[in-house]
Amino acid sequence: MPTNFTVVPVDDGRKSAQEDTDDNNVLREEDEETVGGGNPRESSPFINTDDDKGNLYDGKNMALFEEEMDSNPMVSSLLNKLANYTNLTQGVREHEEADEDEGAKKKTVKSPQMGTFIGVYLPCLQNILGVILFLRMTWIVGTAGILEVFIIVSMCCSCTMLTAISMSAIATNGVVPAGGSYYMISRSLGPEFGGAVGLCFYLGTTFAGAMYILGTIEILLTYIVPSAAIFKAEEKEYEAEAMLNNMRVYGTCCLTLMALVVFVGVKYVNKLALVFLACVVLSIFAIYAGVIKTIFEPPVFPVCLLGNRTLQNHDFDKCMKTDIIDNVTVTTKLWSLFCKGPELNASCNEYFTLNNVTEIQGIPGLTSGVISENMWGSYGPAGMLVEKPVPSVAAADSSQDMYMPYVVNDITTFFTLLVGIYFPSVTGIMAGSNRSGDLRDAQRSIPIGTILAIATTTIIYLSCVVLFGACIEGVVLRDKFGDSVKGNLVIGTLSWPSPWVIVIGSFFSCCGAGLQSLTGAPRLLQAIARDGIVPFLEVFGHGKANGEPTWALLLTALICESGILIASLDAVAPILSMFFLMCYLFVNLACALQTLLRTPNWRPRFKFYHWALSFLGMSLCLALMFISSWYYALVAMLIAGCIYKYIEYRGAEKEWGDGIRGLSLNAARFALIRLEEAPPHTKNWRPQLLVLLNLDSELSVKHPRLLSFTTQLKAGKGLTIVGSVLEGTYLTKEAEAKRAEQNIKAAMTAEKTKGFCHVVASSNLRDGISHLVQSAGLGGMKHNSVLMAWPGSWKQSNDPQSWKSFIETIRETTAAHQALLVAKNVDSFPHQERLKEGTIDVWWIVHDGGMLMLLPFLLRQHKVWRKCKMRIFTVAQMDDNSIQMKKDLQMFLYHLRLDAEVEVVEMHDSDISAFTYEKTLVMEQRSQMLIQMQLSRTEREREAQLIHDRNTASHAALNDKADATPERVHMTWTKEKFFTERNRNREPFASMAVRDLFNMKPNQSNVRCMHTAVKLNEVVVNKSQGAHLVLLNMPGPPRNRGGDENYMEFLEVMMEGLNRVLLVRGGGQEVITIYS
């Protein structure tokens, strides 16, 4: 639906000088901001730079919005920036780069804006049609047969067509700068995938350069000037090795020459591009013209057969054993190749003697019916003779066949090998997207040009398969190097007007493709390096003053040389197939992911795509990888995986709005909704912790060992939320809250705690903790346990709120059915050092869900506590059978699959000792004294306010000069008189309060609780004083809040004399089970 805009002019009285100011504030590429490690952020017209602030919005008409204009720009300013926005490419067009020391701005050279035909269609056509078509296509057709090659071509072309559809959708979803596939994948799947696949694509392009150079040298040494070979074999079995050495020497020289051309300037490559393209087009036309000509007049290329075996037609001119010259029978050159001498009675090869020599036409023509013989494949091992299916007499001894001039397979052939060798002939579909910065309308040109180029080349390939099989004899098709047709290029024998059209055309085509690979690969590496996602590649982002990537070109040449040293076109082709297939796989994945996630920014102009097509393309890429070569596929995946993990571990953090993050959000949402459906089963229960941290005056973590303990307890599993509370309102504490959050995250990183951080600002500490306990987490991903440190200085604190908020936290966790863990002396807990052999002692006094048994098991999974043994103590009363209790507990632990020593401690009923009475009395007296002190403090504050009020009233009366009544006039009242009067009135009450303190008797309930705490402490200290950690059941706070302070004293007595203690209070749910 079209959207209409109405622009309303607003006159604010400004002059044209302001317009000049606006023009100077246009966002340029050189104004890039840097983030993180100094890497340039993607330039955007929506971001205000500091220069823009304060001078764009000086008018009066928009005063209502002026306070927010720094973050929300006016529409007029935004449109002005969008109109002047340019996104410079790092592609093949030349641009000048500033000298970094002087800090000058970048200058751009305006490149010609190309259309679909010149900018996309022809470059794709040139890149797709290449060396494999000219050098290997006939051999693939002869080896695999027309039907199987039809399947190979269909699979590969379908793969690239589906990839092109996905690529078109991505390329039309916004501006795609140069970098092509790397840019698309990295911005769609994130820096890790983008870097991994970008480097794979770079390696593929580099090895493609090696393949094109090897193709160039093969054409040169096999078909143009065979005499130029440096290494020559004396015997036939060493010919292949000599050829490989020649390829290495000449390939290295050719690579050096091409690298120098690219180094001098890419403009020379661009000028020659049309010449190379013309060579390709002319060669294709020559093939079709030759096919048409075979209908009327097939070319004469005789092939000599001995029996059913094809002979190499190099060293003889006549296909016959003997010839009659002047009525005299003489032997031919062929005779001397198989016999020990030219005499008619010389000893000859057995197979030569038994079989006749026949001559057939190598190019019988389109109407000859040879297509029926070429329908099926003829695979075989290396050294297998190329034979025509006609009758022949077999020889008894075939040991000498390898020394005879037969045409043989140079490598072992099978279907999957041919897939790997053929696939590079369909690559090159990214040529258009790589030029996106040079296109007039990239979003229109890339889809149309790429898809048309693939459709054209698919028709060419499929028609060539049929035409080659219909025109050329099968033994000639299987003759890779044309030995049977006097060393001619097989596809050249079919062409018109001369085989040299194809030879010269393919030679220049391979040269051009090699130059383009050496031009494109370094720029791709430079784009990756400049993104800063792979730290060790940053050096390759630099180049010459005109932007040429010198260091990247050097690395590309070295990698390319490694491919040339392999020296075999058939061995290099599957390697680059892997890297290209992996790149195409991730292009399809990126499109499918964005489509399924329905991200708001996914709005491609190209509409003819679907996620199912992308998944089909992705599956086809994966299948082709393993069909071509399973071990190369695994190596390519391993390389990509290593790069991915390296970028994830060391690379700079980038936020590109990628699809993987969107996928994570969707997966998290789905999982959270599923978790919400039902509470976790006991078997799945694990402590999901809310860790409550205290911060000091500098907003640093007071007890970092609490985070260490969290790490050891969780081992990276489950949910951890680290929370803290700042007193005050959020508006006043916003900056402090952010700083506190950064400090907590730094402490979490130092202690290797994986989780989330949450700092809240609240009017008081108690409410803040209550908010965290209630609302931390999301959906089913909420905490079920709270971990906090014991307030060790609660007795010394003048403010009772510290221990009162602690007790309220206990009450709230109990009400919320959450477990509570309280660590005493947390600063003495181990950090990362492994504990020596010792024990973790569990004192199981009451059963509250089994957390006491589960926690030591979880701790012992961590390396710090691994050597510690678990001991479980339980308390038997007077009427309990302690022996039976021990047996039952051992059986229970056996069913729980826990290894622990069991001990039953008997606590007999005994009289309450005088020490217990005295301790209880001291506790209650201290409480009363604190109450008195608190009252005294309150009274002092009230009396001071009274004095202030009276003084204020006196001054008011004097100012008004009013007649005062006797009741209100007290002019002789002074501060000294006031304190004397107050002390005189208070003395009897104060002495009475002191007398009550010394005459008071302890509460019987408190005495009993203190007795329990003292007796339990004696037993625990006796048994577990040397333990590395003691876990105790935590008794609940009293229902009557008046006894809160006494409750703190009971806990203090219970833990007295113990170093590391963890008080555990269950959440009312069973957390451990004997069932599987």
Side-chain angles (χ1 to χ4, degrees):
M1 185 176 72
T3 305
N4 297 322
F5 290 95
T6 303
V7 181
V8 181
V10 178
D11 180 20
D12 62 356
R14 283 180 292 181
K15 304 294 182 184
S16 61
Q18 180 60 37
E19 296 174 8
D20 296 336
T21 307
D22 285 336
D23 290 341
N24 292 329
N25 281 304
V26 173
L27 188 65
R28 296 180 295 269
E29 188 186 28
E30 54 264 31
D31 295 330
E32 287 177 342
E33 298 178 31
T34 56
V35 293
N39 300 312
R41 190 172 62 187
E42 292 179 72
S43 58
S44 168
F46 302 98
I47 300 170
N48 285 323
T49 60
D50 292 337
D51 297 337
D52 294 334
K53 295 179 181 178
N55 58 359
L56 283 178
Y57 316 114
D58 299 332
K60 304 183 187 74
N61 291 323
M62 295 296 167
L64 187 61
F65 300 96
E66 65 185 7
E67 289 186 0
E68 296 180 350
M69 281 184 178
D70 285 345
S71 57
N72 302 335
M74 285 174 59
V75 173
S76 59
S77 172
L78 179 66
L79 293 175
N80 184 27
K81 288 186 177 184
L82 282 171
N84 290 278
Y85 176 58
T86 58
N87 198 332
L88 294 181
T89 70
Q90 299 163 347
V92 294
R93 66 181 186 181
E94 292 192 302
H95 58 277
E96 296 181 6
E97 192 179 53
D99 185 356
E100 292 179 2
D101 297 332
E102 297 177 3
K105 303 291 184 181
K106 292 181 183 177
K107 298 177 183 177
T108 62
V109 179
K110 189 71 174 176
S111 66
Q113 297 294 300
M114 295 184 287
T116 303
F117 187 74
I118 298 293
V120 181
Y121 180 77
L122 290 181
C124 285
L125 209 65
Q126 182 182 358
N127 277 266
I128 295 171
L129 299 171
V131 61
I132 300 296
L133 172 64
F134 299 124
L135 293 185
R136 293 290 182 270
M137 195 66 183
T138 52
W139 173 72
I140 291 173
V141 172
T143 304
I146 294 173
L147 291 179
E148 290 185 25
V149 178
F150 220 81
I151 293 170
I152 293 173
V153 174
S154 300
M155 280 197 305
C156 295
C157 291
S158 300
C159 175
T160 54
M161 180 61 83
L162 292 170
T163 304
I165 291 171
S166 299
M167 184 191 72
S168 299
I170 298 171
T172 57
N173 187 52
V175 179
V176 179
S181 59
Y182 160 69
Y183 186 92
M184 288 188 289
I185 294 170
S186 61
R187 270 54 175 185
S188 297
L189 294 180
E192 294 87 1
F193 276 113
V197 180
L199 284 174
C200 283
F201 189 52
Y202 163 73
L203 290 172
T205 308
T206 306
F207 274 102
M211 183 186 74
Y212 290 127
I213 291 172
L214 289 173
T216 303
I217 302 306
E218 184 177 311
I219 294 168
L220 180 72
L221 294 180
T222 308
Y223 306 112
I224 300 178
V225 277
S227 58
I230 298 172
F231 301 93
K232 296 181 180 178
E234 296 295 332
E235 297 181 15
K236 186 184 175 185
E237 60 265 30
Y238 300 118
E239 284 180 357
E241 189 176 339
M243 185 62 182
L244 292 180
N245 288 330
N246 285 319
M247 299 280 278
R248 291 184 181 108
V249 173
Y250 278 97
T252 304
C253 296
C254 185
L255 171 64
T256 307
L257 186 64
M258 287 185 175
L260 283 173
V261 171
V262 174
F263 177 76
V264 168
V266 72
K267 57 187 175 184
Y268 300 110
V269 179
N270 289 339
K271 286 178 180 178
L272 292 171
L274 282 176
V275 176
F276 299 141
L277 177 61
C279 291
V280 173
V281 175
L282 284 175
S283 300
I284 299 296
F285 280 124
I287 292 169
Y288 283 108
V291 168
I292 295 170
K293 185 174 178 290
T294 62
I295 301 173
F296 314 105
E297 185 185 345
V300 179
F301 283 98
V303 176
C304 192
L305 299 180
L306 176 61
N308 64 350
R309 299 176 180 179
T310 313
L311 298 179
Q312 293 183 356
N313 194 356
H314 289 298
D315 301 322
F316 59 92
D317 51 357
K318 292 182 179 179
C319 184
M320 54 181 67
K321 293 181 181 181
T322 59
D323 194 8
I324 299 174
I325 300 175
D326 297 332
N327 294 325
V328 178
T329 302
V330 295
T331 59
T332 61
K333 289 183 180 178
L334 182 61
W335 180 281
S336 60
L337 294 175
F338 286 89
C339 301
K340 293 183 178 180
E343 299 83 11
L344 287 171
N345 59 354
S347 175
C348 295
N349 178 270
E350 183 184 0
Y351 188 83
F352 181 76
T353 307
L354 295 173
N355 292 276
N356 293 323
V357 175
T358 55
E359 189 175 74
I360 61 171
Q361 275 301 319
I363 313 293
L366 193 61
T367 57
S368 63
V370 75
I371 189 170
S372 59
E373 296 178 12
N374 294 328
M375 293 297 289
W376 311 106
S378 179
Y379 302 107
M384 186 186 83
L385 301 174
V386 175
E387 299 175 335
K388 184 174 174 64
V390 293
S392 65
V393 181
D397 181 18
S398 60
S399 59
Q400 296 300 310
D401 288 350
M402 62 181 295
Y403 303 106
M404 298 296 110
Y406 296 126
V407 177
V408 297
N409 283 358
D410 63 327
I411 57 171
T412 303
T413 54
F414 41 90
F415 178 79
T416 56
L417 173 77
L418 299 185
V419 175
I421 292 174
Y422 173 76
F423 188 80
S425 66
V426 297
T427 60
I429 62 171
M430 299 288 184
S433 63
N434 289 343
R435 292 167 175 256
S436 55
D438 300 329
L439 299 172
R440 189 182 306 115
D441 184 1
Q443 296 192 359
R444 178 179 176 274
S445 297
I446 289 175
I448 296 173
T450 306
I451 291 173
L452 279 179
I454 293 173
T456 304
T457 53
T458 301
I459 293 169
I460 291 173
Y461 281 132
L462 291 175
S463 62
C464 282
V465 169
V466 176
L467 295 175
F468 292 164
C471 294
I472 305 174
E473 180 63 50
V475 291
V476 179
L477 286 173
R478 296 201 298 278
D479 182 3
K480 185 186 288 186
F481 301 108
D483 292 321
S484 61
V485 285
K486 293 189 178 296
N488 279 297
L489 182 62
V490 173
I491 197 172
T493 60
L494 186 61
S495 66
W496 179 86
S498 167
W500 285 100
V501 175
I502 295 287
V503 172
I504 301 300
S506 60
F507 178 79
F508 283 112
S509 169
C510 291
C511 282
L515 278 171
Q516 287 191 342
S517 295
L518 289 178
T519 303
R523 279 161 180 74
L524 180 59
L525 183 63
Q526 188 181 45
I528 298 170
R530 285 183 172 175
D531 264 342
I533 58 174
V534 185
F536 72 83
L537 289 180
E538 286 182 2
V539 66
F540 299 109
H542 307 297
K544 293 193 299 183
N546 65 350
E548 291 296 321
T550 310
W551 292 107
L553 176 61
L554 183 62
L555 179 66
T556 303
L558 290 174
I559 297 172
C560 196
E561 176 63 19
S562 68
I564 287 170
L565 291 177
I566 295 173
S568 171
L569 189 69
D570 303 319
V572 173
I575 297 175
L576 64 102
S577 293
M578 291 304 114
F579 292 124
F580 278 120
L581 279 166
M582 183 165 288
C583 176
Y584 297 165
L585 183 149
F586 281 101
V587 169
N588 284 299
L589 175 63
C591 180
L593 206 60
Q594 298 276 30
T595 307
L596 287 175
L597 292 177
R598 296 192 181 97
T599 50
N601 191 50
W602 180 245
R603 303 184 298 274
R605 289 190 179 278
F606 179 77
K607 301 298 182 184
F608 305 101
Y609 69 94
H610 193 270
W611 64 265
L613 293 177
S614 299
F615 268 117
L616 181 60
M618 188 176 68
S619 307
L620 202 50
C621 288
L622 194 62
L624 285 172
M625 284 178 71
F626 282 93
I627 287 172
S628 301
S629 174
W630 63 269
Y631 46 90
Y632 278 158
L634 292 177
V635 170
M637 287 180 170
L638 181 65
I639 291 171
C642 291
I643 298 168
Y644 178 95
K645 294 306 290 183
Y646 175 80
I647 295 172
E648 187 181 54
Y649 179 67
R650 289 290 307 276
E653 292 184 4
K654 298 282 183 182
E655 178 50 64
W656 285 331
D658 52 85
I660 292 296
R661 186 173 180 83
L663 180 65
S664 302
L665 288 169
N666 268 310
R669 170 184 162 277
F670 177 76
L672 285 170
I673 291 172
R674 289 289 302 273
L675 283 173
E676 190 78 8
E677 292 176 359
H681 192 271
T682 303
K683 290 184 286 187
N684 297 327
W685 196 95
R686 65 166 62 246
Q688 316 285 10
L689 289 179
L690 168 63
V691 184
L692 297 177
L693 289 181
N694 293 324
L695 304 177
D696 59 19
S697 58
E698 299 295 324
L699 300 180
S700 298
V701 178
K702 270 189 182 179
H703 304 294
R705 292 293 173 87
L706 201 61
L707 294 173
S708 300
F709 183 70
T710 304
T711 304
Q712 294 154 19
L713 184 64
K714 302 286 292 178
K717 306 293 191 299
L719 175 70
T720 302
I721 302 172
V722 180
S724 189
V725 179
L726 297 179
E727 290 193 66
T729 63
Y730 182 69
L731 291 177
T732 58
K733 295 287 183 180
E734 179 191 3
E736 290 181 28
K738 289 181 179 177
R739 187 150 56 90
E741 193 167 322
Q742 289 176 352
N743 292 342
I744 292 173
K745 285 181 178 177
M748 291 171 69
T749 303
E751 303 296 336
K752 298 181 180 178
T753 304
K754 295 179 181 178
F756 307 99
C757 176
H758 195 184
V759 177
V760 297
S762 180
S763 56
N764 59 69
L765 187 67
R766 184 194 161 329
D767 288 347
I769 293 176
S770 176
H771 295 155
L772 280 174
V773 170
Q774 291 177 64
S775 61
L778 181 65
M781 205 60 178
K782 288 181 69 70
H783 62 279
N784 54 29
S785 309
V786 177
L787 172 63
M788 59 193 302
W790 170 259
S793 58
W794 69 275
K795 282 187 177 182
Q796 290 77 29
S797 175
N798 293 326
D799 185 9
Q801 288 302 319
S802 61
W803 54 266
K804 283 187 176 179
S805 64
F806 173 77
I807 295 175
E808 288 303 315
T809 303
I810 300 174
R811 288 193 172 102
E812 283 175 353
T813 54
T814 304
H817 301 289
Q818 294 173 4
L820 179 66
L821 312 177
V822 180
K824 182 193 174 189
N825 293 336
V826 71
D827 292 330
S828 68
F829 275 51
H831 182 227
Q832 297 295 334
E833 63 278 7
R834 302 189 184 196
L835 295 173
K836 296 179 181 177
E837 291 185 359
T839 60
I840 300 174
D841 288 358
V842 177
W843 285 85
W844 192 22
I845 300 164
V846 294
H847 179 66
D848 56 358
M851 269 199 80
L852 282 168
M853 263 83 76
L854 184 62
L855 291 176
F857 169 76
L858 295 175
L859 280 174
R860 289 179 64 217
Q861 306 302 306
H862 197 271
K863 62 181 181 180
V864 171
W865 302 89
R866 192 162 291 150
K867 292 184 179 179
C868 297
K869 293 181 179 177
M870 180 177 166
R871 295 194 301 180
I872 296 185
F873 297 88
T874 190
V875 177
Q877 300 298 325
M878 194 65 188
D879 52 350
D880 292 328
N881 184 344
S882 57
I883 298 174
Q884 187 61 39
M885 277 182 67
K886 185 173 182 177
K887 288 181 180 178
D888 293 343
L889 183 54
Q890 286 174 334
M891 182 58 66
F892 181 58
L893 291 176
Y894 174 77
H895 286 306
L896 289 176
R897 291 90 64 203
L898 294 175
D899 297 324
E901 296 178 13
V902 175
E903 189 169 340
V904 177
V905 179
E906 296 180 351
M907 284 183 64
H908 302 292
D909 287 341
S910 59
D911 293 335
I912 297 172
S913 63
F915 171 76
T916 304
Y917 269 109
E918 183 183 351
K919 203 164 183 66
T920 310
L921 185 59
V922 169
M923 176 188 73
E924 293 186 351
Q925 287 175 346
R926 179 178 178 279
S927 298
Q928 288 298 320
M929 286 176 68
L930 285 172
I931 292 170
Q932 291 291 339
M933 289 169 63
Q934 186 68 22
L935 286 173
S936 301
R937 190 183 303 117
T938 307
E939 280 183 9
R940 284 200 302 273
E941 291 170 356
R942 190 183 300 122
E943 287 164 1
Q945 185 64 35
L946 180 62
I947 293 169
H948 177 268
D949 292 344
R950 290 192 179 191
N951 285 340
T952 304
S954 300
H955 287 300
L958 286 171
N959 290 338
D960 293 342
K961 295 181 180 180
D963 293 336
T965 59
E967 291 80 13
R968 294 183 64 184
V969 176
H970 197 160
M971 302 303 294
T972 57
W973 184 270
T974 64
K975 187 184 289 186
E976 289 77 10
K977 286 185 178 182
F978 173 76
F979 280 116
T980 304
E981 183 69 18
R982 188 194 68 178
N983 291 335
R984 185 170 61 80
N985 292 334
R986 186 191 285 175
E987 276 176 4
F989 297 105
S991 59
M992 189 184 304
V994 173
R995 222 174 16 254
D996 288 345
L997 277 175
F998 287 103
N999 292 334
M1000 68 185 294
K1001 292 184 179 180
N1003 182 286
Q1004 285 301 311
S1005 174
N1006 288 340
V1007 170
R1008 285 168 51 268
C1009 290
M1010 182 63 78
H1011 176 68
T1012 303
V1014 169
K1015 294 295 290 181
L1016 190 58
N1017 177 257
E1018 287 177 2
V1019 174
V1020 174
V1021 169
N1022 182 38
K1023 296 285 186 181
S1024 302
Q1025 195 165 21
H1028 285 315
L1029 181 64
V1030 177
L1031 281 80
L1032 283 168
N1033 277 118
M1034 184 181 192
R1039 290 187 176 87
N1040 177 15
R1041 295 177 188 270
D1044 283 357
E1045 189 177 3
N1046 297 337
Y1047 172 70
M1048 294 293 290
E1049 189 72 41
F1050 298 147
L1051 294 180
E1052 190 76 62
V1053 170
M1054 194 169 72
M1055 296 186 291
E1056 195 173 359
L1058 298 171
N1059 182 22
R1060 299 186 191 120
V1061 181
L1062 187 67
L1063 293 175
V1064 181
R1065 182 165 177 77
Q1069 178 189 354
E1070 288 292 335
V1071 301
I1072 196 165
T1073 177
I1074 64 174
Y1075 299 105
S1076 62

